[in-house]
Amino acid sequence: MSGPHDFDFFHGEWEVRHRRRTDFLDPGSQWEEFASTAVCRPLFDGAANIDEIDMPHLGAKGLTLRLFDPETRQWSLNWASSRSGRLFPPVIGGFGTYDGDGDEVEGAGVREGSGGPRRDRGEFYGDDVHDGRNVRARFIWSGISGASARWEQAFSSDGGRTWLTNWVMDFTRPSVTRPVAYPVTQRIAPPEGARPESSQKAVSETP
C-alpha cells in the first residue's frame, strides 16, 4: 500500500532523456529522442508535489500535480501541457503492483529510503482520449533511487488487454544544481558596537 512520502525521491532538479513515439497509437511509428530539464517541489509536507518539465524540442512545457489520498492510500497524477492549459484526466495507483483496473496484486518489491521501506515500482491507471479514440492510460515509475528514476507511458485501445509504450523518460540528477526559490530564514548579525542587551532578533525573509 502506498504512503504519503512515496514521491520524496523526486523532489529537486533533474536532467531528462526522452524516447517518444511520433504516433502514440501506432506500434510501427518512429522513436524520437531529445533532452529536457525538470524541477519538482513538495507540497503538503510531502503528501503532494508539483513538477514542471521544460521540453524545448517540443516547444512546450509540462506540469504534473500529484496528490496522495489518505482514505484510499492511493495517488492521483494529474498532467497538464502548456499547449492546452488544461488538466488531463488523472491516473490513479501507487507503489505496489497493480493490474489494468488499478487493483493491487501481490509480489511487489521493496526499496529502502528515508522513513522506512518503499515500494520500488509504481503503477497508475486511468481513462483518456487520444486523437479522438478512447484509451486506457498507464504510467509506470521504476528504477528509483536518489539519483535516478524512469517514467514510462503506455496506451491500450482494447481495454487493457494489450499495451503500447509510447513515451519513456530517464531522470538523472544534474552535475550542477541551481538554487530553488524555497522560503528561507536569514539571520542578521547585530550592528557593530551594539550593546549585548539590545541584540537584534533574526529576520525572516522570503525571496
Side-chain angles (χ1 to χ4, degrees):
M1 192 67 69
S2 274
H5 295 287
D6 284 337
F7 277 101
D8 282 6
F9 75 90
F10 199 50
H11 301 162
E13 294 186 353
W14 297 90
E15 293 176 347
V16 193
R17 294 296 307 179
H18 298 251
R19 292 187 72 243
R20 183 177 185 267
R21 287 191 184 274
T22 53
D23 186 330
F24 281 180
L25 296 176
D26 181 2
S29 62
Q30 298 296 311
W31 290 91
E32 58 179 350
E33 299 188 10
F34 55 95
S36 72
T37 57
V39 60
C40 177
R41 296 175 173 83
L43 302 166
F44 298 168
D45 298 322
N49 63 69
I50 190 168
D51 77 72
E52 183 181 32
I53 185 165
D54 186 4
M55 301 172 288
H57 175 77
L58 300 179
K61 296 183 179 182
L63 176 152
T64 303
L65 173 64
R66 302 177 183 86
L67 296 165
F68 179 72
D69 185 330
E71 293 187 2
T72 65
R73 301 198 69 79
Q74 289 187 315
W75 287 84
S76 63
L77 279 52
N78 306 267
W79 165 261
S81 168
S82 62
R83 289 176 172 174
S84 66
R86 298 189 302 270
L87 286 172
F88 285 66
V91 291
I92 296 172
F95 284 84
T97 299
Y98 289 82
D99 62 20
D101 293 323
D103 296 322
E104 190 173 14
V105 297
E106 298 299 325
V110 175
R111 62 183 167 90
E112 294 295 328
S114 60
R118 293 284 181 270
R119 305 286 189 163
D120 66 356
R121 178 183 172 92
E123 296 192 16
F124 307 85
Y125 294 86
D127 295 313
D128 205 343
V129 176
H130 182 76
D131 286 346
R133 294 176 59 182
N134 292 326
V135 297
R136 188 82 172 144
R138 180 183 71 192
F139 291 0
I140 295 177
W141 281 95
S142 63
I144 295 166
S145 73
S148 63
R150 169 172 282 196
W151 172 88
E152 301 175 40
Q153 175 181 269
F155 285 171
S156 172
S157 55
D158 58 11
R161 288 187 294 275
T162 61
W163 294 91
L164 178 64
T165 299
N166 52 44
W167 200 343
V168 179
M169 300 185 197
D170 286 307
F171 292 82
T172 56
R173 293 295 185 186
S175 55
V176 177
T177 59
R178 301 180 301 277
V180 180
Y182 294 131
V184 297
T185 298
Q186 179 180 2
R187 295 192 177 277
I188 308 299
E192 188 175 350
R195 292 178 298 173
E197 63 269 23
S198 63
S199 60
Q200 293 184 342
K201 297 180 180 179
V203 177
S204 176
E205 295 185 353
T206 302

